[in-house]
Amino acid sequence: DTEVTQTPKHLVMGMTNKKSLKCEQHMGHRAMYWYKQKAKKPPELMFVYSYEKLSINESVPSRFSPECPNSSLLNLHLHALQPEDSALYLCASSPTRTNYGYTFGSGTRLTVV
Amino acid sequence: GENVEQHPSTLSVQEGDSAVIKCTYSDSASNYFPWYKQELGKRPQLIIDIRSNVGEKKDQRIAVTLNKTAKHFSLHITETQPEDSAVYFCAASIWAGKSTFGDGTTLTVKP
């Protein structure tokens, strides 16, 4: 298995809702990432997990809460989002943090209404 | 922090021609430089990468060159095909795990 799987593919949520994005990989990668991508823009780093521990939080608002239950799974819990949070949320993994390219998932297209 | 500039923002070439995309980075500590291709509505995919101890790397029609002194690196695509049409992102890794992306180049290959 050489893929990163993200669910759901599309999500529409109200500003008072709570939802979660899920990411899964079975490549044995020990680094996992959350990126946010707006239309016609590059991916922006949100969080980095290394060996299931949060190692980077790029000053992301607390309405985004990451979780890494085990080495294969990465979640992003969403609460009280704003319309400007609408974007493509990409999960990625790499063998370790050390200078390896990412394998990206297909992303979750999030719309906040 | 690291800053990556990418040029041009759009590039249109005729099928069979070569395409070159250039990036510059700011921090001399960066030591890993991947390139990603993102087709419309799809995920970014790693197409080639280069580490700071290497000056050039080639994979079939794609090559990347790195000039550490000038702090710039380039992607070269030869014999372009319509399926090469996509957005290409360069990135620089200043330390393990954190890649800073360029703004992207939209490449259009006309048949």
Side-chain angles (χ1 to χ4, degrees):
Chain A
D1 188 352
T2 58
E3 286 195 350
V4 174
T5 303
Q6 287 188 247
T7 55
K9 293 192 185 306
H10 301 274
L11 178 62
V12 179
M13 60 185 290
M15 289 188 282
T16 59
N17 291 160
K18 286 185 181 181
K19 297 286 185 183
S20 295
L21 309 185
K22 182 180 173 182
C23 174
E24 193 167 2
Q25 58 87 15
H26 296 287
M27 295 178 281
H29 288 177
R30 303 311 299 270
M32 296 185 76
Y33 312 82
W34 281 114
Y35 275 84
K36 173 183 177 180
Q37 188 177 29
K38 291 274 202 178
K40 299 187 187 298
K41 294 291 186 182
E44 294 176 51
L45 182 64
M46 300 176 72
F47 303 104
V48 179
Y49 273 84
S50 178
Y51 291 87
E52 297 90 72
K53 287 185 169 46
L54 181 65
S55 61
I56 294 180
N57 176 340
E58 288 288 276
S59 302
V60 178
S62 59
R63 58 185 183 269
F64 296 91
S65 176
E67 178 196 21
C68 190
N70 59 55
S71 61
S72 300
L73 281 175
L74 187 65
N75 297 322
L76 186 63
H77 303 297
L78 313 173
H79 173 57
L81 295 192
Q82 304 296 309
E84 58 264 30
D85 296 322
S86 298
L88 180 67
Y89 287 84
L90 292 162
C91 174
S93 70
S94 62
T96 65
R97 292 187 320 178
T98 309
N99 295 344
Y100 289 96
Y102 301 150
T103 300
F104 280 96
S106 295
T108 294
R109 178 77 57 189
L110 174 68
T111 303
V112 181
V113 298
Chain B
E2 175 66 282
N3 182 51
V4 177
E5 294 191 0
Q6 183 172 346
H7 299 281
S9 56
T10 60
L11 179 60
S12 181
V13 299
Q14 209 66 36
E15 183 176 359
D17 287 350
S18 295
V20 180
I21 302 171
K22 299 182 179 182
C23 290
T24 60
Y25 60 98
S26 60
D27 196 312
S28 55
S30 289
N31 57 4
Y32 176 67
F33 307 91
W35 286 88
Y36 294 89
K37 174 185 179 182
Q38 188 172 25
E39 297 177 60
L40 190 62
K42 297 195 174 180
R43 74 189 81 188
Q45 289 192 294
L46 179 70
I47 56 172
I48 196 167
D49 57 10
I50 192 166
R51 288 171 171 77
S52 59
N53 58 346
V54 176
E56 184 173 358
K57 184 177 178 180
K58 190 173 181 181
D59 183 3
Q60 299 183 342
R61 297 186 297 109
I62 294 174
V64 59
T65 58
L66 171 64
N67 183 325
K68 284 172 55 180
T69 303
K71 291 191 281 188
H72 68 70
F73 56 112
S74 301
L75 178 71
H76 305 252
I77 306 174
T78 59
E79 300 171 23
T80 54
Q81 301 166 4
E83 51 265 38
D84 294 329
S85 296
V87 179
Y88 291 81
F89 293 102
C90 64
S93 191
I94 191 170
W95 65 271
K98 182 174 177 176
S99 283
T100 300
F101 286 77
D103 282 344
T105 295
T106 300
L107 173 64
T108 303
V109 180
K110 300 176 183 176

